[in-house]
Amino acid sequence: RYAVQGAERAGITGITRALEAMARRPDRTHILRGLKVPLLILHGTKDKFIPSRRAKALAVALRCHPGVLVFPGWELPTEAAA
């Protein structure tokens, strides 16, 4: 519901611009590698924009342990933020 409301407010133009900005964003993996704190990557299998294999590849690149937690069908922003 949260994502749907945001998409409705943004409209096609807003969504398109956001996707273009994400596609142009430079890779910041090297910055994340420099962090000296534990990392946890959460990813939902129903993500329509970024496939879970990308999250898994990021976990490998960052040498995360245990890696990435992929939640089948998980698209719950409120629960993720808790």
XYZ file of all heavy atoms in Angstrom:
630
model
N 0.818 -1.189 0.000
C 0.000 0.000 0.000
C 0.865 1.256 0.000
O 0.602 2.190 -0.737
C -0.915 -0.090 1.218
C -1.841 1.042 1.351
C -2.706 0.848 2.534
N -2.705 2.089 3.261
C -3.410 2.343 4.297
N -4.147 1.406 4.812
N -3.376 3.496 4.866
N 1.900 1.265 0.814
C 2.809 2.404 0.895
C 3.433 2.697 -0.467
O 3.454 3.843 -0.915
C 3.883 2.098 1.933
C 4.983 3.121 2.028
C 4.805 4.282 2.768
C 6.202 2.910 1.397
C 5.815 5.227 2.863
C 7.211 3.844 1.492
C 7.021 4.993 2.224
O 8.019 5.908 2.320
N 3.935 1.660 -1.121
C 4.569 1.836 -2.434
C 3.559 2.289 -3.483
O 3.864 3.136 -4.332
C 5.239 0.538 -2.868
N 2.371 1.749 -3.432
C 1.332 2.112 -4.395
C 0.961 3.582 -4.231
O 0.839 4.317 -5.209
C 0.095 1.201 -4.247
C -1.064 1.704 -5.091
C 0.450 -0.234 -4.628
N 0.800 4.024 -3.004
C 0.466 5.433 -2.754
C 1.568 6.351 -3.262
O 1.293 7.383 -3.883
C 0.224 5.660 -1.267
C -1.046 5.021 -0.761
C -1.165 5.102 0.748
O -0.207 5.409 1.448
N -2.347 4.804 1.255
N 2.814 5.977 -3.027
C 3.930 6.785 -3.503
C 3.971 6.843 -5.025
O 4.201 7.908 -5.613
N 3.727 5.704 -5.656
C 3.723 5.656 -7.120
C 2.580 6.490 -7.683
O 2.747 7.186 -8.692
C 3.618 4.210 -7.590
N 1.432 6.434 -7.056
C 0.291 7.221 -7.528
C 0.581 8.713 -7.415
O 0.235 9.488 -8.309
C -0.970 6.855 -6.741
C -1.511 5.486 -7.113
C -2.640 5.033 -6.213
O -2.866 5.632 -5.127
O -3.297 4.039 -6.572
N 1.235 9.129 -6.327
C 1.575 10.547 -6.164
C 2.619 10.983 -7.183
O 2.561 12.083 -7.716
C 2.076 10.813 -4.742
C 0.974 10.896 -3.711
C 1.487 11.457 -2.386
N 2.605 10.703 -1.840
C 2.495 9.660 -1.021
N 1.310 9.231 -0.646
N 3.569 9.049 -0.570
N 3.594 10.125 -7.449
C 4.679 10.472 -8.379
C 4.212 10.482 -9.822
O 4.688 11.277 -10.626
C 5.836 9.498 -8.213
N 3.296 9.606 -10.161
C 2.828 9.503 -11.538
C 3.885 8.881 -12.445
O 5.005 8.591 -12.026
N 3.532 8.684 -13.687
C 4.428 8.056 -14.653
C 5.720 8.860 -14.801
O 6.817 8.308 -14.824
C 3.738 7.910 -16.030
C 2.508 7.008 -15.929
C 4.710 7.400 -17.080
C 2.813 5.579 -15.583
N 5.609 10.181 -14.886
C 6.798 11.021 -15.066
C 7.742 10.893 -13.873
O 8.951 10.724 -14.048
C 6.402 12.494 -15.269
O 5.541 12.581 -16.407
C 7.617 13.372 -15.482
N 7.200 10.942 -12.684
C 8.025 10.829 -11.481
C 8.705 9.478 -11.370
O 9.890 9.392 -11.026
N 7.981 8.418 -11.664
C 8.558 7.068 -11.608
C 9.653 6.927 -12.657
O 10.735 6.393 -12.381
C 7.461 6.003 -11.801
C 6.508 6.024 -10.606
C 8.067 4.622 -11.997
C 5.265 5.201 -10.796
N 9.394 7.422 -13.856
C 10.385 7.340 -14.932
C 11.659 8.079 -14.550
O 12.768 7.573 -14.737
C 9.803 7.908 -16.238
O 8.622 7.180 -16.567
C 10.794 7.809 -17.374
N 11.520 9.272 -14.014
C 12.699 10.049 -13.610
C 13.475 9.349 -12.497
O 14.707 9.341 -12.500
C 12.279 11.448 -13.160
C 11.870 12.323 -14.312
C 11.508 13.703 -13.846
N 11.079 14.510 -14.978
C 10.378 15.607 -14.872
N 10.023 16.066 -13.680
N 10.025 16.282 -15.944
N 12.767 8.756 -11.548
C 13.438 8.041 -10.459
C 14.216 6.839 -10.992
O 15.355 6.592 -10.575
C 12.413 7.594 -9.419
N 13.620 6.101 -11.915
C 14.307 4.942 -12.492
C 15.529 5.369 -13.298
O 16.586 4.722 -13.236
C 13.346 4.136 -13.366
C 12.254 3.391 -12.603
C 11.257 2.779 -13.578
C 12.852 2.326 -11.706
N 15.402 6.451 -14.042
C 16.551 6.966 -14.802
C 17.677 7.399 -13.866
O 18.848 7.130 -14.127
C 16.125 8.125 -15.691
C 15.282 7.711 -16.871
C 14.712 8.885 -17.645
O 14.832 10.046 -17.184
O 14.130 8.642 -18.708
N 17.322 8.049 -12.769
C 18.331 8.485 -11.804
C 19.030 7.282 -11.177
O 20.258 7.290 -11.007
C 17.682 9.351 -10.723
N 18.280 6.245 -10.843
C 18.894 5.043 -10.283
C 19.829 4.376 -11.286
O 20.907 3.905 -10.932
C 17.822 4.043 -9.827
C 17.145 4.438 -8.541
S 16.077 3.149 -7.898
C 14.603 3.407 -8.868
N 19.436 4.352 -12.552
C 20.260 3.721 -13.583
C 21.565 4.484 -13.794
O 22.598 3.881 -14.098
C 19.484 3.632 -14.897
N 21.547 5.804 -13.613
C 22.736 6.627 -13.821
C 23.628 6.727 -12.580
O 24.755 7.203 -12.662
C 22.334 8.037 -14.233
C 21.810 8.113 -15.626
C 21.682 9.587 -16.048
N 20.724 9.663 -17.126
C 19.557 10.271 -17.062
N 19.198 10.905 -15.975
N 18.743 10.274 -18.082
N 23.102 6.315 -11.457
C 23.833 6.441 -10.194
C 25.138 5.638 -10.258
O 25.144 4.481 -10.652
C 22.928 5.919 -9.072
C 23.461 6.042 -7.697
C 22.442 5.645 -6.670
N 21.873 4.328 -6.959
C 20.723 3.900 -6.493
N 19.993 4.664 -5.738
N 20.286 2.707 -6.782
N 26.252 6.236 -9.846
C 27.516 5.505 -9.889
C 27.565 4.388 -8.849
O 26.898 4.454 -7.815
C 28.566 6.577 -9.590
C 27.838 7.660 -8.888
C 26.418 7.610 -9.370
N 28.356 3.393 -9.147
C 28.544 2.267 -8.228
C 29.290 2.769 -6.989
O 30.344 3.397 -7.097
C 29.338 1.170 -8.923
C 29.536 -0.049 -8.048
O 29.005 -0.096 -6.920
O 30.231 -0.971 -8.502
N 28.741 2.517 -5.830
C 29.371 2.961 -4.585
C 29.815 1.788 -3.719
O 30.011 1.927 -2.507
C 28.405 3.861 -3.822
C 28.180 5.179 -4.558
C 27.387 6.153 -3.718
N 27.316 7.439 -4.370
C 26.350 7.800 -5.207
N 25.393 6.959 -5.516
N 26.352 9.001 -5.738
N 29.994 0.634 -4.347
C 30.424 -0.555 -3.612
C 31.721 -0.279 -2.856
O 31.882 -0.706 -1.711
C 30.593 -1.748 -4.566
O 29.357 -1.965 -5.252
C 30.966 -3.009 -3.825
N 32.651 0.436 -3.481
C 33.945 0.711 -2.833
C 33.770 1.516 -1.537
O 34.527 1.338 -0.584
C 34.886 1.429 -3.805
C 34.426 2.791 -4.196
N 33.388 3.013 -5.082
C 34.848 4.013 -3.795
C 33.204 4.312 -5.219
N 34.073 4.945 -4.458
N 32.774 2.375 -1.489
C 32.508 3.149 -0.266
C 31.951 2.224 0.815
O 32.370 2.276 1.970
C 31.543 4.303 -0.549
C 32.209 5.324 -1.479
C 31.079 4.975 0.748
C 31.270 6.374 -2.017
N 31.032 1.358 0.431
C 30.448 0.425 1.396
C 31.495 -0.534 1.950
O 31.448 -0.916 3.110
C 29.298 -0.353 0.743
C 28.088 0.487 0.333
C 27.103 -0.354 -0.452
C 27.426 1.106 1.551
N 32.453 -0.936 1.105
C 33.531 -1.828 1.566
C 34.350 -1.189 2.679
O 34.914 -1.892 3.508
C 34.468 -2.181 0.411
C 34.013 -3.331 -0.380
C 35.148 -3.825 -1.277
N 34.586 -4.675 -2.284
C 34.684 -4.479 -3.595
N 35.370 -3.457 -4.062
N 34.125 -5.306 -4.437
N 34.428 0.128 2.697
C 35.219 0.826 3.696
C 34.540 0.951 5.051
O 35.174 1.362 6.023
N 33.270 0.606 5.142
C 32.562 0.700 6.420
C 33.109 -0.327 7.398
O 33.407 -1.454 7.039
C 31.064 0.477 6.215
C 30.339 1.528 5.374
C 28.890 1.114 5.173
C 30.422 2.896 6.024
N 33.221 0.065 8.637
C 33.736 -0.813 9.686
C 32.626 -1.234 10.644
O 32.812 -1.299 11.840
C 34.860 -0.108 10.467
C 35.990 0.363 9.599
C 36.703 -0.796 8.950
C 37.884 -0.273 8.137
N 38.252 -1.157 7.072
N 31.464 -1.487 10.087
C 30.311 -1.925 10.873
C 29.712 -3.152 10.185
O 29.899 -3.350 8.979
C 29.236 -0.819 10.986
C 29.780 0.381 11.746
C 28.746 -0.392 9.614
N 28.992 -3.982 10.920
C 28.338 -5.131 10.281
C 27.309 -4.655 9.256
O 26.640 -3.636 9.454
C 27.648 -5.846 11.443
C 28.347 -5.367 12.671
C 28.801 -3.967 12.359
N 27.197 -5.372 8.170
C 26.244 -5.030 7.118
C 25.199 -6.122 6.990
O 25.513 -7.306 7.086
C 26.954 -4.869 5.776
C 28.013 -3.781 5.698
C 28.733 -3.847 4.363
C 27.381 -2.421 5.889
N 23.983 -5.716 6.759
C 22.889 -6.652 6.511
C 22.134 -6.145 5.299
O 21.714 -4.989 5.259
C 21.942 -6.737 7.718
C 20.680 -7.570 7.526
C 21.026 -9.036 7.274
C 19.774 -7.433 8.738
N 21.975 -6.993 4.313
C 21.238 -6.633 3.108
C 19.925 -7.391 3.130
O 19.907 -8.612 3.218
C 22.045 -6.990 1.838
C 23.368 -6.222 1.832
C 21.220 -6.699 0.587
C 24.330 -6.670 0.763
N 18.827 -6.657 3.064
C 17.491 -7.249 3.007
C 16.935 -7.028 1.614
O 17.070 -5.943 1.058
C 16.559 -6.591 4.024
C 16.969 -6.655 5.486
C 16.022 -5.828 6.334
C 17.001 -8.086 5.968
N 16.272 -8.038 1.073
C 15.721 -7.891 -0.275
C 14.477 -8.750 -0.409
O 14.465 -9.896 0.014
C 16.762 -8.316 -1.308
C 16.418 -7.875 -2.693
N 16.743 -6.620 -3.156
C 15.751 -8.494 -3.684
C 16.308 -6.500 -4.398
N 15.697 -7.608 -4.739
N 13.441 -8.205 -1.020
C 12.197 -8.944 -1.245
C 12.161 -9.540 -2.643
O 12.603 -8.915 -3.608
N 11.645 -10.740 -2.768
C 11.584 -11.410 -4.066
C 10.569 -10.776 -5.008
O 10.610 -11.030 -6.205
C 11.251 -12.901 -3.913
O 10.011 -13.023 -3.218
C 12.345 -13.644 -3.163
N 9.668 -9.958 -4.478
C 8.666 -9.317 -5.336
C 9.101 -7.937 -5.811
O 8.315 -7.221 -6.414
C 7.321 -9.223 -4.611
C 6.638 -10.562 -4.464
C 5.232 -10.405 -3.955
C 4.539 -11.752 -3.906
N 3.163 -11.618 -3.464
N 10.352 -7.580 -5.555
C 10.871 -6.298 -6.036
C 10.798 -6.301 -7.556
O 11.371 -7.155 -8.216
C 12.316 -6.121 -5.566
C 12.856 -4.727 -5.842
O 12.591 -4.192 -6.938
O 13.558 -4.194 -4.968
N 10.079 -5.351 -8.121
C 9.855 -5.298 -9.568
C 10.987 -4.594 -10.322
O 11.053 -4.654 -11.538
C 8.536 -4.567 -9.870
C 7.334 -5.186 -9.209
C 6.787 -6.312 -10.039
C 5.430 -6.707 -9.544
N 5.367 -7.950 -8.857
N 11.876 -3.915 -9.591
C 12.919 -3.137 -10.243
C 14.300 -3.759 -10.128
O 15.092 -3.675 -11.051
C 12.944 -1.708 -9.683
C 11.656 -0.980 -9.903
C 10.806 -0.716 -8.854
C 11.296 -0.569 -11.173
C 9.602 -0.050 -9.057
C 10.101 0.090 -11.391
C 9.251 0.347 -10.331
N 14.610 -4.323 -8.995
C 15.947 -4.877 -8.780
C 15.814 -6.360 -8.427
O 15.250 -6.708 -7.394
C 16.676 -4.130 -7.646
C 16.767 -2.647 -7.990
C 18.055 -4.736 -7.402
C 17.243 -1.778 -6.864
N 16.329 -7.246 -9.282
C 16.224 -8.682 -9.001
C 17.083 -9.075 -7.794
O 18.120 -8.454 -7.525
C 16.733 -9.341 -10.285
C 17.458 -8.296 -11.035
C 16.980 -6.963 -10.551
N 16.655 -10.094 -7.065
C 17.367 -10.510 -5.857
C 18.797 -10.950 -6.164
O 19.667 -10.855 -5.308
C 16.605 -11.605 -5.121
O 16.419 -12.727 -5.944
N 19.080 -11.394 -7.383
C 20.460 -11.784 -7.729
C 21.411 -10.598 -7.600
O 22.589 -10.760 -7.297
C 20.523 -12.416 -9.110
C 20.183 -11.491 -10.241
C 20.266 -12.207 -11.612
N 19.533 -11.483 -12.610
C 19.920 -10.335 -13.158
N 21.066 -9.802 -12.796
N 19.184 -9.728 -14.061
N 20.914 -9.376 -7.819
C 21.758 -8.180 -7.665
C 22.116 -7.965 -6.191
O 23.234 -7.590 -5.866
C 21.044 -6.940 -8.214
C 20.752 -6.947 -9.693
C 21.951 -6.625 -10.557
N 22.589 -5.368 -10.235
C 22.281 -4.185 -10.744
N 21.319 -4.077 -11.639
N 22.933 -3.110 -10.390
N 21.158 -8.197 -5.302
C 21.432 -8.072 -3.869
C 22.438 -9.130 -3.436
O 23.347 -8.859 -2.642
C 20.137 -8.199 -3.068
N 22.290 -10.341 -3.966
C 23.240 -11.411 -3.634
C 24.639 -11.078 -4.148
O 25.638 -11.317 -3.461
C 22.751 -12.733 -4.218
C 21.514 -13.251 -3.520
C 20.989 -14.506 -4.191
C 19.688 -14.930 -3.543
N 19.092 -16.087 -4.211
N 24.735 -10.501 -5.339
C 26.034 -10.106 -5.893
C 26.673 -9.007 -5.030
O 27.891 -9.017 -4.809
C 25.874 -9.639 -7.332
N 25.870 -8.084 -4.537
C 26.381 -7.039 -3.659
C 26.926 -7.654 -2.366
O 27.993 -7.272 -1.889
C 25.296 -6.005 -3.349
C 25.717 -4.862 -2.429
C 26.845 -4.041 -3.041
C 24.519 -3.975 -2.114
N 26.209 -8.612 -1.808
C 26.660 -9.274 -0.581
C 28.009 -9.957 -0.798
O 28.897 -9.879 0.053
C 25.616 -10.295 -0.122
N 28.186 -10.589 -1.945
C 29.464 -11.226 -2.260
C 30.559 -10.170 -2.392
O 31.651 -10.311 -1.834
C 29.351 -12.078 -3.550
C 30.717 -12.522 -4.032
C 28.449 -13.275 -3.311
N 30.269 -9.086 -3.108
C 31.256 -8.027 -3.312
C 31.669 -7.369 -2.003
O 32.821 -6.961 -1.837
C 30.700 -6.979 -4.275
N 30.742 -7.297 -1.056
C 31.027 -6.657 0.233
C 31.519 -7.643 1.280
O 31.786 -7.276 2.413
C 29.783 -5.939 0.758
C 29.280 -4.787 -0.096
C 28.001 -4.212 0.488
C 30.331 -3.711 -0.229
N 31.581 -8.906 0.890
C 32.005 -9.974 1.803
C 31.135 -10.004 3.064
O 31.635 -10.123 4.177
C 33.488 -9.807 2.163
C 34.403 -9.952 0.975
C 35.856 -9.658 1.352
N 36.489 -8.924 0.270
C 36.666 -7.601 0.250
N 36.290 -6.868 1.251
N 37.237 -7.021 -0.774
N 29.841 -9.850 2.872
C 28.890 -9.890 3.982
C 28.760 -11.320 4.492
O 28.818 -12.276 3.727
C 27.508 -9.421 3.541
S 27.388 -7.663 3.239
N 28.557 -11.436 5.758
C 28.298 -12.752 6.340
C 27.039 -12.632 7.173
O 26.972 -11.758 8.030
C 29.464 -13.206 7.214
C 29.224 -14.551 7.804
N 29.332 -15.697 7.059
C 28.845 -14.923 9.029
C 29.045 -16.730 7.833
N 28.748 -16.285 9.033
N 26.032 -13.424 6.985
C 25.974 -14.583 6.098
C 25.709 -14.234 4.648
O 25.643 -15.100 3.804
C 24.815 -15.383 6.673
C 23.888 -14.351 7.223
C 24.799 -13.242 7.735
N 25.545 -12.975 4.339
C 25.255 -12.574 2.966
C 24.012 -11.716 2.927
O 23.888 -10.755 3.650
N 23.072 -12.133 2.108
C 21.843 -11.372 1.944
C 20.675 -12.203 2.435
O 20.639 -13.412 2.233
C 21.649 -10.945 0.466
C 21.527 -12.127 -0.443
C 20.457 -10.025 0.318
N 19.754 -11.569 3.109
C 18.525 -12.245 3.506
C 17.464 -11.893 2.476
O 17.123 -10.729 2.306
C 18.081 -11.802 4.897
C 19.048 -12.101 6.033
C 18.496 -11.559 7.348
C 19.312 -13.587 6.148
N 16.998 -12.904 1.779
C 15.967 -12.701 0.761
C 14.669 -13.239 1.328
O 14.587 -14.390 1.731
C 16.326 -13.421 -0.558
C 15.218 -13.258 -1.574
C 17.639 -12.893 -1.105
N 13.676 -12.385 1.361
C 12.386 -12.759 1.919
C 11.392 -13.021 0.794
O 11.060 -12.098 0.048
C 11.858 -11.648 2.834
C 12.675 -11.478 4.061
C 13.748 -10.605 4.072
C 12.397 -12.203 5.205
C 14.528 -10.444 5.208
C 13.165 -12.052 6.343
C 14.233 -11.175 6.344
N 10.933 -14.263 0.656
C 9.954 -14.572 -0.400
C 8.718 -13.702 -0.268
O 8.059 -13.687 0.772
C 9.623 -16.048 -0.160
C 10.791 -16.582 0.593
C 11.273 -15.430 1.435
N 8.453 -12.938 -1.310
C 7.253 -12.107 -1.347
C 7.267 -10.938 -0.394
O 6.243 -10.330 -0.152
N 8.402 -10.596 0.159
C 8.462 -9.579 1.205
C 8.553 -8.192 0.623
O 9.554 -7.804 0.050
C 9.651 -9.853 2.105
C 9.618 -9.142 3.410
C 8.599 -9.136 4.312
C 10.651 -8.351 3.968
N 8.941 -8.397 5.402
C 10.189 -7.899 5.221
C 11.904 -7.977 3.547
C 10.947 -7.095 6.047
C 12.664 -7.175 4.368
C 12.184 -6.741 5.606
N 7.511 -7.425 0.761
C 7.475 -6.026 0.330
C 6.736 -5.235 1.397
O 5.659 -4.718 1.186
C 6.780 -5.882 -1.030
C 7.590 -6.432 -2.176
C 8.931 -5.742 -2.354
O 9.034 -4.518 -2.179
O 9.906 -6.441 -2.683
N 7.324 -5.177 2.574
C 6.663 -4.538 3.713
C 7.578 -3.462 4.288
O 8.351 -3.716 5.199
C 6.349 -5.589 4.788
C 5.531 -6.795 4.285
C 5.525 -7.900 5.338
C 4.111 -6.371 3.961
N 7.533 -2.241 3.772
C 8.465 -1.206 4.222
C 8.365 -0.883 5.700
O 9.376 -0.606 6.326
C 8.095 0.002 3.354
C 6.738 -0.272 2.845
C 6.580 -1.758 2.778
N 7.196 -0.945 6.284
C 7.059 -0.628 7.703
C 7.774 -1.664 8.552
O 8.507 -1.340 9.479
C 5.558 -0.568 8.078
O 4.939 0.419 7.269
C 5.385 -0.212 9.550
N 7.591 -2.941 8.215
C 8.240 -4.011 8.969
C 9.752 -3.976 8.764
O 10.510 -4.261 9.690
C 7.684 -5.370 8.546
C 6.267 -5.627 9.044
C 5.187 -4.924 8.230
O 5.510 -4.112 7.340
O 4.001 -5.184 8.485
N 10.218 -3.609 7.577
C 11.653 -3.532 7.319
C 12.300 -2.430 8.128
O 13.442 -2.543 8.563
C 11.911 -3.325 5.829
N 11.576 -1.346 8.342
C 12.115 -0.200 9.068
C 12.114 -0.429 10.583
O 12.816 0.261 11.296
C 11.318 1.051 8.731
N 11.340 -1.389 11.057
C 11.217 -1.615 12.498
C 12.462 -2.236 13.103
O 13.269 -2.818 12.498
C 10.013 -2.517 12.779
